[in-house]
Amino acid sequence: MRRISIGNGALTASEISLGCMRINELSEKAAANLINTALEEGIDFFDHADIYGGGKSEEVFAQAVDMCPSIREKFIIQTKCGIRQGYFDFSKEHILEAVDGSLKRLQTDYIDVLLLHRPDALVEPEEVAEAFSILQSNGKVRNFGVSNQNPMQIELLKKYLNQKIVINQLQLSITNTGMIDAGFNVNMKVDGSIDRDGSILDYCRLNDITIQPWSPFQYGFFEGVFLNNDKFPELNKKIDELAQNKGVTNTAIAIAWLLRHPANMQPIVGTTNVSRLRDICKASTIELTRQEWYEIYLAAGNKLP
């Protein structure tokens, strides 16, 4: 597994992360097998959120690895907070309470990266800054980031924060390429020219913020996977062709497409299938050519100007 710099040196980690959203559905033994497989494949970055499984996913993770200080050092643990039942909450009080809850469930004294989940329209950045400073000074959180935020939302936080934003977790896959499309269709009256996210891809590159693509196999908003899907015949034909040529599975090609981008993204893969995880990790052993990357992009139904 190749390793990348997160946030321009804040961390060095595996270029693929294991998303732990659904490990609450696994037995402790199955969860341990999944996590150990990830480690064997070179994955050391594990993505959580306080809402995953209602908090149970964090608990299962800690129980599965028999968490203790010596074992804790094997992992880079990221978790997220801010989503509550029916609303979003970036208040100082909630951030501090959420982190304490995650620490307890994960059976650890610190979190490597804390992300603010979905933007809170009522955010008071001064409160976020206070919470982050408290968490950093007491050693509970070492690095900070956001999820699903645009440049101006990040700039608003940065005005008050003493900490660097090192990660932005965003939806991105071969079939969800809005942040890429807008860059192709500058100054054109076509749907692809609509900038829906404030040029977040370029912004993150300029500011050394690592993008973590979530749902890298999904199309739409949790509508399903595009691989082996009759809705995407040309795309699957191209992916399967490349997979055969390179001796990997279609899942590896889908992730390799993201890894090929020079932004040095870190895809979050949420599979709970051990065999599938091993297949996905092979993406780190190959590199698509520029032409192959574009062929996949076009096969997904995109058009170049």
Side-chain angles (χ1 to χ4, degrees):
M1 175 71 60
R2 290 177 298 209
R3 300 180 66 75
I4 60 171
S5 173
I6 303 291
N8 194 27
L11 289 165
T12 299
S14 55
E15 66 176 349
I16 296 173
S17 168
L18 182 65
C20 298
M21 184 170 70
R22 290 189 290 272
I23 65 169
N24 64 296
E25 301 169 2
L26 302 178
S27 67
E28 186 176 317
K29 181 179 179 180
N33 189 27
L34 178 70
I35 295 164
N36 286 331
T37 298
L39 291 172
E40 290 169 6
E41 293 295 324
I43 292 176
D44 63 358
F45 198 107
F46 296 83
D47 176 68
H48 292 269
D50 59 354
I51 63 165
Y52 291 166
K56 188 177 179 183
S57 290
E58 292 177 327
E59 291 180 353
V60 170
F61 183 90
Q63 293 164 0
V65 302
D66 195 18
M67 190 69 79
C68 66
S70 61
I71 290 175
R72 173 67 180 87
E73 296 307 311
K74 295 181 179 180
F75 310 108
I76 297 173
I77 295 178
Q78 171 175 281
T79 197
K80 301 182 283 293
C81 70
I83 297 180
R84 307 189 73 171
Q85 189 65 41
Y87 64 105
F88 302 143
D89 188 351
F90 286 177
S91 66
K92 172 185 172 183
E93 180 182 24
H94 178 65
I95 292 172
L96 296 177
E97 288 180 354
V99 168
D100 283 342
S102 288
L103 290 172
K104 182 178 180 180
R105 290 187 294 271
L106 287 164
Q107 298 179 34
T108 182
D109 295 327
Y110 69 94
I111 291 166
D112 293 287
V113 188
L114 175 70
L115 304 187
L116 296 177
H117 226 155
R118 293 278 171 193
D120 175 13
L122 303 182
V123 62
E124 296 181 66
E126 301 94 332
E127 285 200 25
V128 175
E130 286 183 47
F132 280 13
S133 291
I134 290 171
L135 292 170
Q136 184 180 55
S137 64
N138 61 24
K140 291 181 179 180
V141 178
R142 296 183 174 180
N143 299 280
F144 300 86
V146 296
S147 181
N148 308 298
Q149 293 206 14
N150 66 35
M152 288 301 101
Q153 290 168 326
I154 297 173
E155 283 295 313
L156 179 61
L157 290 174
K158 284 171 62 177
K159 179 180 178 181
Y160 298 91
L161 294 180
N162 293 316
Q163 300 76 21
K164 187 181 187 310
I165 296 295
V166 301
I167 285 170
N168 191 6
Q169 197 170 111
L170 298 159
Q171 186 177 22
L172 178 64
S173 71
I174 294 171
T175 51
N176 284 29
T177 54
M179 69 176 74
I180 294 173
D181 302 339
F184 281 127
N185 296 283
V186 174
N187 198 36
M188 297 183 68
K189 291 185 177 181
V190 295
D191 287 345
S193 69
I194 300 173
D195 184 357
R196 294 178 169 85
D197 49 41
S199 299
I200 190 62
L201 174 56
D202 295 326
Y203 174 85
C204 286
R205 294 182 74 181
L206 285 167
N207 288 273
D208 298 319
I209 298 173
T210 298
I211 292 175
Q212 291 179 331
W214 57 264
S215 290
F217 303 111
Q218 292 275 338
Y219 70 92
F221 189 69
F222 294 116
E223 293 178 45
V225 297
F226 56 81
L227 294 174
N228 302 318
N229 189 325
D230 292 340
K231 291 183 178 180
F232 304 95
E234 291 185 22
L235 176 58
N236 279 284
K237 180 180 178 182
K238 174 52 65 176
I239 289 175
D240 291 345
E241 173 190 313
L242 290 170
Q244 183 175 6
N245 290 342
K246 296 179 183 297
V248 296
T249 62
N250 57 359
T251 54
I253 296 297
I255 296 301
W257 188 83
L258 294 170
L259 296 177
R260 176 62 179 81
H261 196 282
N264 290 319
M265 302 178 190
Q266 185 191 44
I268 307 292
V269 300
T271 184
T272 56
N273 183 296
V274 169
S275 177
R276 183 177 171 85
L277 179 60
R278 290 192 187 280
D279 289 339
I280 289 170
C281 288
K282 288 184 174 61
S284 189
T285 68
I286 63 173
E287 182 170 329
L288 299 176
T289 66
R290 186 182 299 265
Q291 181 177 342
E292 289 167 341
W293 188 92
Y294 274 94
E295 287 174 350
I296 291 173
Y297 179 78
L298 293 172
N302 298 299
K303 296 181 179 180
L304 295 177

